Amino acid sequence: MSASLRRLSLSLAALLLVGLASAQNARFDEGVQAYQSGDLDGAIEAFKEVLANNPGDEEAYRMLDTVEDRVMLDMLLERGELGQLAERFLKKATLGHATVAADPSGASDVVDRLMDGDEVERQRALTELQATYRSWAVPALVGPLGDASDVDRRVIAIQALRHLGSDAVMPLIAVTGADDDLTRRNAASVLGSLGDPRAAPALAWMATNDADPVTAQLASEALNRVGAGGGDPAGLSQALALRYFNGEPAVVAAYEAPSVVWEWVDRKLQGRAVLGGLYRFEVAEQFALLALENGAGNEARPLLAAIHAAMKAEITEAQRLPEMDGNALLEEAAAGLADLDVNLALAGSARGVGLSLCLSGDGRNVPAAQAMMAAMNGSPAEMTALRAALGDSDGTVAFGASMALARHGVSEPSVVGTLSGALASLPARLAISIGDTGLSGEAPGWALLSSTTVADGLLRAKMFPPKDVVVLREGLQGVTLDAMVYGLRGDPRTAAVPIIVVTNDTDQIESLYGDVVSKVVTRAGWDDVAEVAGDRTDVQQRALARAGHAAEVLAGLTADAVRGIGTQVGAALSAGADDGVKLAVLRLVAHAGLTDALSQTEALFDDASDDVRIAAMNAAASIYARNGGASSAEAALALLDAAAEDGEVAQAAAAALGQLGGIAALDLRRAVR
């Protein structure tokens, strides 16, 4: 047996000392026996089965708490699927980031043990900091890191931060803004030793601008070690902000999205919990502002506008999710919507390039583009970007562009045609396929997003607009099915989305995940997608809202510009729209005198709410005045009957009848009260 396998076998044996009575620990025992016999595949399957049962965070923590510290570290260093399983257990043992974020003060007690304990106690403290507190351990280590009176405490703190690895990077970047030179120097030194390129902008700023020459020199050396020697702060900050905005997997965790933004405030390091979906935009904003401060100017402003539009879209879309009702982080984020609107207004013509950023590359963000277009004005740069968006293949983007252009008086056929098409059309529902699932092309009422990589696929699955179905391929490189499934189930944006798993071993996956996923198949088709998707009323609601907005904007254009869309308007009146949409469409009919929509308008004389009936009669009166009589005798008789009623209905019917000169006197007498 190899040394690494022996170390992992010992670590797994130690895990079994806790809770032997549980069925999960019995399965762990089978895994240990498989390891000891050299059956690595059998051991992997055993541990995957335990993880498929989704043990609680506290239970996983108790399992790992008894593992010898050195053995635990060796387990984490394992490569391949064994290492991934070990990391999965470690992540579950964090007791939940939300719990730690609510009371991270316990890290201080662990750091005290780290500083004052013997070697064994220090190793246990290191493991606890990584397993339980992770990035939340850094604030407790900042004091020792800058302790000028005790070199040993500084060394231990530096070692602990290096041990935390990537979890320490973002907090340490904030620490580079500390007030005292020693803390900044040591933060720069640790960042350099970690070699994480995310630290480059902060290190470049220190190397260029720090008032202390020694700190500046150390930062310059650290900058070389992260592979960005000689880079300017503005360019590095701008580039990293764009990577976060685009959601590049290399900088954004795809399976367990971080939700803490770190800042140096009031002379100390502070973590601010944010919505998981907002995290990358919050960090992007930090680096874009750093770029602006370092002279990026015109390059940073459009990116900031795009970031603010994305943040607004993320918040407003999250507010639509029933799963997010009462979420404290969402409520806190929503309180900042007014500030985001102000920032978008201040962006001015930079919104034009900002819109292009929202719609370009792998970071394409349609909800952000919609939020941007709603805020756009009529500057040349903005109008150019809107005209480009009008030709976008995504109908929702083209619709948003046409709305913005129409608001600024553009009544070209392409604008009017896009808006009229929205009056009675329904948006496609969205499925996302991750890996080779067999799902391809499109189906009536459906659109497909595809990704060949897990990191990109999970990120896009969680992005708004919400997906109707997620289709996963089991056995993708670099991640277990357990991590994918529970990564989706643990996020409010995808917690209720049906999941289809594609696998060669349907029986086993069904037995492990049958209660968590909607369907297990060998190849997925559109019939499978339709089967698990069910109804989604939100699709209809959004379509109706777009139709109402389109009708209102079209009614603001000249009658000549919209006179050719009567057929689409008539279809909108015949569709199952609610009263709000019908009233907006009828105002458009009256405004433009749309004869092609007359019969559908008349159909509402006696088969609708009173408000809609009155609006229909007023619209018909407008058409009669311009073009002559009713489309049928039945419509005229319906008006006669309505004129015999009371109040506003009778008044509207009389006004329409007044435009019909061809009704016999006998019929007219029926309307006299």
Side-chain angles (χ1 to χ4, degrees), residues 109-120:
D109 296 334
V110 182
V111 169
D112 288 342
R113 301 204 316 265
L114 176 69
M115 296 295 160
D116 301 329
D118 57 22
E119 182 62 28
V120 173

Side-chain angles (χ1 to χ4, degrees), residues 634-655:
E634 289 78 6
L637 291 173
L639 285 175
L640 287 169
D641 290 337
E645 298 181 26
D646 297 322
E648 294 182 24
V649 171
Q651 182 64 38

Side-chain angles (χ1 to χ4, degrees), residues 531-581:
E531 176 186 338
V532 303
D535 296 328
R536 183 175 145 204
T537 58
D538 185 56
V539 173
Q540 298 290 333
Q541 292 170 352
R542 293 194 185 202
L544 294 174
R546 277 203 295 273
H549 294 325
E552 291 169 359
V553 171
L554 287 167
L557 300 179
T558 66
D560 287 341
V562 298
R563 194 155 285 140
I565 63 171
T567 301
Q568 295 93 320
V569 171
L573 291 174
S574 298
D578 62 13
D579 280 5
V581 175

Side-chain angles (χ1 to χ4, degrees), residues 308-324:
H308 292 146
M311 294 170 78
K312 179 179 180 179
E314 187 73 27
I315 295 167
T316 54
E317 291 283 350
Q319 289 175 316
R320 296 177 179 269
L321 297 177
E323 296 84 359
M324 297 296 287

